[in-house]
Amino acid sequence: MAKYIVEQSGPLVGEVEISGAKNAALPILAATVLTEGICEINDVPRLRDIDVMCRILRSLGAKVDEDWETHTIKVDGSGISVSEVPYDLVKLMRASIFVMGPLLARLGKASIAQPGGCSIGDRPIDLHAKGLRNLGAKILMSDDLVNASVDTLKGALVYLDFPSVGATENIMMAATLAEGSTTIENAAEEPEIVDLASFLNKMGARIKGAGTDTIRIEGVKALHGTRHAVIPDRIETGTFMVAAAITRGNVLIKNSVPDHVRPVIAKLIECGAVVNDELEGLRVRGDVNRLVATDIKTLPYPGFPTDMQAPFMALLTTVSGTSTVIETVFENRFMHAGELSRLGANIRVNGRTAMVPGDKRPLVGAPVMSTDLRGGAALVLAGLVAKGKTEVSEIYHIERGYEHFVEKLSGLGAKITRVED
Ligand code: EPZ
């Protein structure tokens, strides 16, 4: 098993280029199932999860060409005829469920292994099912399988009890080919939803309101192939912003969209970091002021992103004063707190609240384990400032979501290497 060896590195300085967003690319690739035409997706990050989505598309009968020189994936969906996604693939990535809506719309049926829970929570798919049922689908859920079928999808009103990102995406995709109009209320507003809607509209869909809590979709008879470039990854952007702050460095983050990371900018400024929106990107400086504690509470967009909670917690272990972190999106997303405490952070977790005592206890390197994608990134960031050497294991989590993480950090002066055990 591979691991990262991270050494105390001093301030990170220089420029880093952000990759395309994994969480935008995944539903966009799934949406190619909706057409027999050819779709070209640009700026796709080369990641394990993307590879799994390509395998799923191939298993359904699509022809998928990956060109990693240009980060372009071409999907020819004309041969799609299979409606099943087996557990072998679903167990590798929960986002496999994204093909359920598109398969229903294209083939009138979908049979997908149950994704099950994961280390950050139970993660049920009841809202996906509720929305698709509203559109007329029959959905039978057993312990290990989701079976969906429909003669004709019919537009309807869908109210989501929680603004789930995945449910909004699945329902929006299915509704593009439904008869009549669909309204999704209390929809998720994340930038990845807007990117998916803009891709679907380029395919000929009629979607309005993406990025607000009410999305209206006028069904059309067919969608056609198109070309689309994926938005920059806002969570990778935020992770490098925190990397600059935690090392008290000075980093220019290129290919970032400041509007997508407003809450991270606000919280970094509250801590005393300096963030400037420059012509070439976002500059984050942690070397100007003494950094101090702040409180964060995760919320659906435009609130503070749950995916940034772990990296930010790593930063809060190094500032003056005690911070409170409240996680409201996932019920079990504090596994990294225990690992950060192995580095000396002494974080106390009570339910959905964590108390982070700050720099009274400087971090000291130790062997730690990635518990999930963002938790793993947090451990790497902590390792950059912990005294001595930190060994981060189970790094396959991190490599699911950060393209060239080691190379990008090394380019800024970080002492990090990837070794095979
Ligand atoms: C997406 O997951 C992202 N994944 C996650 O990123 C991200 O953390 C999450 O949105 C929240 O922003 C992808 O886009 C591939 P949700 P998703 O449905 O769609 C509950 C990362 O690290 N819920 O918005 O699965 C659910 O249990 C990953 O890149 C239901 O109860 O998130 C959770 O508590 C991790 N029923 C909350 O809603 C449902 O049917 C938010 O989940 C669906 C969700």
Side-chain angles (χ1 to χ4, degrees):
M1 292 288 261
K3 60 187 174 190
Y4 293 154
I5 309 289
V6 190
E7 284 177 75
Q8 194 175 25
S9 299
L12 297 194
V13 177
E15 300 179 0
V16 64
E17 182 94 17
I18 298 303
S19 300
K22 161 181 89 77
N23 289 348
L26 287 172
I28 285 172
L29 285 169
T32 63
V33 169
L34 291 162
T35 177
E36 293 186 12
I38 295 175
C39 295
E40 180 180 314
I41 321 296
N42 306 121
D43 294 345
V44 181
R46 187 174 196 178
L47 295 168
R48 205 188 68 149
D49 278 9
I50 298 292
D51 178 58
V52 176
M53 186 54 88
C54 290
R55 283 166 66 187
I56 290 174
L57 294 176
R58 286 191 187 102
S59 77
L60 301 177
K63 191 167 167 293
V64 182
D65 287 328
E66 300 167 54
D67 178 351
W68 292 115
E69 293 279 302
T70 60
H71 283 78
T72 296
I73 296 186
K74 268 193 201 153
V75 185
D76 174 351
S78 55
I80 289 179
S81 60
V82 176
S83 58
E84 287 115 49
V85 186
Y87 185 59
D88 275 359
L89 289 169
V90 176
K91 74 176 181 203
L92 298 176
M93 183 182 70
R94 292 185 50 86
S96 311
I97 199 73
F98 287 163
V99 294
M100 183 159 79
L103 277 175
L104 255 182
R106 171 89 184 265
L107 302 177
K109 56 187 177 173
S111 174
I112 303 186
Q114 277 277 10
C118 81
S119 61
I120 61 175
D122 277 347
R123 306 187 72 180
I125 52 163
D126 55 318
L127 297 172
H128 301 237
K130 173 182 168 180
L132 295 172
R133 279 190 186 116
N134 283 15
L135 300 186
K138 239 191 248 150
I139 314 256
L140 295 173
M141 291 213 256
S142 63
D143 290 345
D144 61 346
L145 205 65
V146 189
N147 250 316
S149 61
V150 72
D151 286 333
T152 314
L153 287 168
K154 296 220 163 78
L157 173 67
V158 178
Y159 173 80
L160 293 178
D161 301 291
F162 184 90
S164 153
V165 175
T168 303
E169 291 170 341
N170 233 332
I171 297 159
M172 189 163 79
M173 290 188 277
T176 57
L177 292 178
E179 251 176 31
S181 60
T182 297
T183 303
I184 309 176
E185 289 182 352
N186 200 27
E189 299 174 35
E190 271 70 1
E192 293 77 17
I193 307 275
V194 179
D195 204 31
L196 174 62
S198 109
F199 173 65
L200 291 166
N201 282 341
K202 285 186 194 168
M203 294 171 87
R206 295 178 60 199
I207 303 173
K208 284 197 175 138
T212 75
D213 63 1
T214 307
I215 302 179
R216 293 201 167 79
I217 306 126
E218 205 60 55
V220 296
K221 289 239 172 319
L223 297 179
H224 52 75
T226 191
R227 185 181 193 173
H228 183 79
V230 172
I231 53 170
D233 195 310
R234 68 193 165 99
I235 307 302
E236 188 194 9
T237 302
T239 304
F240 277 95
M241 292 171 80
V242 171
I246 198 173
T247 61
R248 311 306 191 252
N250 178 347
V251 176
L252 179 68
I253 299 161
K254 295 167 117 176
N255 192 36
S256 51
V257 182
D259 254 351
H260 293 174
V261 285
R262 289 282 161 224
V264 182
I265 294 176
K267 286 292 158 183
L268 281 172
I269 291 173
E270 275 181 30
C271 286
V274 173
V275 184
N276 287 320
D277 184 358
E278 297 183 358
L279 209 59
E280 283 192 275
L282 272 174
R283 182 173 296 281
V284 181
R285 300 192 61 174
D287 59 345
V288 180
N289 306 308
R290 177 149 193 241
L291 300 193
V292 295
T294 190
D295 298 330
I296 64 171
K297 183 176 183 179
T298 67
L299 286 168
Y301 193 86
F304 190 90
T306 172
D307 290 340
M308 280 306 301
Q309 182 254 106
F312 217 90
M313 186 184 279
L315 170 66
L316 296 177
T317 66
T318 70
V319 302
S320 157
T322 298
S323 309
T324 306
V325 176
I326 304 177
E327 172 61 54
T328 76
V329 179
F330 289 105
E331 70 275 15
N332 189 30
R333 210 172 191 179
F334 278 143
M335 305 267 283
H336 48 278
E339 296 300 303
L340 285 170
S341 289
R342 286 183 49 73
L343 301 176
N346 197 29
I347 297 163
R348 251 155 295 153
V349 174
N350 185 1
R352 289 183 176 236
T353 303
M355 300 295 289
V356 187
D359 65 2
K360 270 181 286 174
R361 297 173 58 113
L363 302 181
V364 181
V368 285
M369 187 181 78
S370 303
T371 51
D372 69 284
L373 165 54
R374 310 301 171 187
L379 296 173
V380 170
L381 298 185
L384 294 174
V385 292
K387 202 162 172 231
K389 191 168 84 174
T390 300
E391 284 185 23
V392 184
S393 59
E394 309 287 315
I395 57 170
Y396 62 90
H397 286 297
I398 303 176
E399 295 180 346
R400 280 186 38 221
Y402 290 93
E403 188 181 39
H404 304 314
F405 200 38
V406 168
E407 292 82 352
K408 287 185 184 184
L409 284 168
S410 303
L412 298 170
K415 294 182 190 153
I416 175 169
T417 46
R418 183 184 196 279
V419 294
E420 294 291 338
D421 227 358

